[in-house]
Amino acid sequence: MMAPVHILILAAGASSRMPDQDKLLILLDDLPLLRRQATIALATGVPVTVALSPAFPARRAALAGLACRFADVPNAAFGMSASLRGGVMEVRAGHPAPTTGLMVLPADMPLFTTPALFSMIEQFALAPARILRGCSDTGQPGHPAIFPQDLWDALAKISGDEGGRSVLAANAHRLDLFPLPGQMAILDLDTPEDWTAFRALHRQ
């Protein structure tokens, strides 16, 4: 039986390296990147929560009609940790059913697919006391990561601009890497140059 996992999409950041547009609203596969990410996550069949800042109402509008929960992060300017803390609290409060794992999924990584996420969830179910972290096909650690429930308190206490690195470091003895195709686990799109290179490579 598959261990229950809840996906938390971190989408409250300011997109500060894209000053002229919101990177999470740029179209990819004819969808805003954030909506595409949420759609892929929801298609796994597990609950999905999206951490959002009220400073970016267009992001929430981009998710209209999708069956995901929202975690409001008014202090998102304090770094990625604020999104993670707010998301963990919302998952606990809004989804009281037994959940053994929390998948932390960045919103700005364009190569994730539903089969890849589902495969990670299936693998986590085999060892739900372990941390499972995506890596590239050459073994470079990346995203997403699935954290067992006993580490959620530690996630809720992190600070600064990190997405759980300190928790991963403190629990390296419990960490398993899960290879994902190509650069799926490591490619993010932060700058206009990133987007230009990605579109040239993938003909977007």
Side-chain angles (χ1 to χ4, degrees), residues 9-12 24-25 31-42 48-53 56-71 107:
I9 299 176
L10 302 182
L24 298 187
L25 300 181
L31 293 173
L33 178 58
L34 177 57
R35 187 178 182 93
R36 179 184 180 277
Q37 207 80 322
T39 301
I40 287 169
L42 286 165
V48 176
T49 292
V50 184
L52 293 170
S53 167
F56 303 103
R59 294 183 185 177
R60 188 158 185 157
L63 298 170
L66 296 183
C68 50
R69 295 181 178 272
F70 300 103

Side-chain angles (χ1 to χ4, degrees), residues 51-183:
L52 293 170
S53 167
F56 303 103
R59 294 183 185 177
R60 188 158 185 157
L63 298 170
L66 296 183
C68 50
R69 295 181 178 272
F70 300 103
D72 289 326
V73 186
N75 57 347
F78 288 98
M80 193 182 301
S81 61
S83 297
L84 192 47
R85 291 195 307 269
V88 169
M89 288 189 292
E90 176 59 31
V91 169
R92 281 177 162 166
H95 189 66
T99 301
T100 60
L102 181 70
M103 177 185 281
V104 178
L105 183 70
D108 61 352
M109 300 183 68
L111 297 180
F112 291 130
T113 64
T114 296
L117 299 184
F118 190 79
S119 293
M120 283 194 69
I121 294 169
E122 286 188 313
Q123 181 65 30
F124 177 78
L126 300 177
R130 306 281 295 176
I131 304 169
L132 190 63
R133 184 178 186 182
C135 68
S136 70
D137 56 1
T138 59
Q140 181 178 345
H143 303 278
I146 306 179
F147 294 89
Q149 192 176 44
D150 68 290
L151 295 177
W152 293 11
D153 283 342
L155 292 174
K157 295 175 182 176
I158 64 173
S159 60
D161 192 23
E162 65 146 303
R165 287 191 303 272
S166 61
V167 178
L168 290 170
N171 294 275
H173 61 289
R174 298 175 59 183
L175 177 64
D176 296 323
L177 294 179
F178 187 84
L180 295 172
Q183 293 190 311

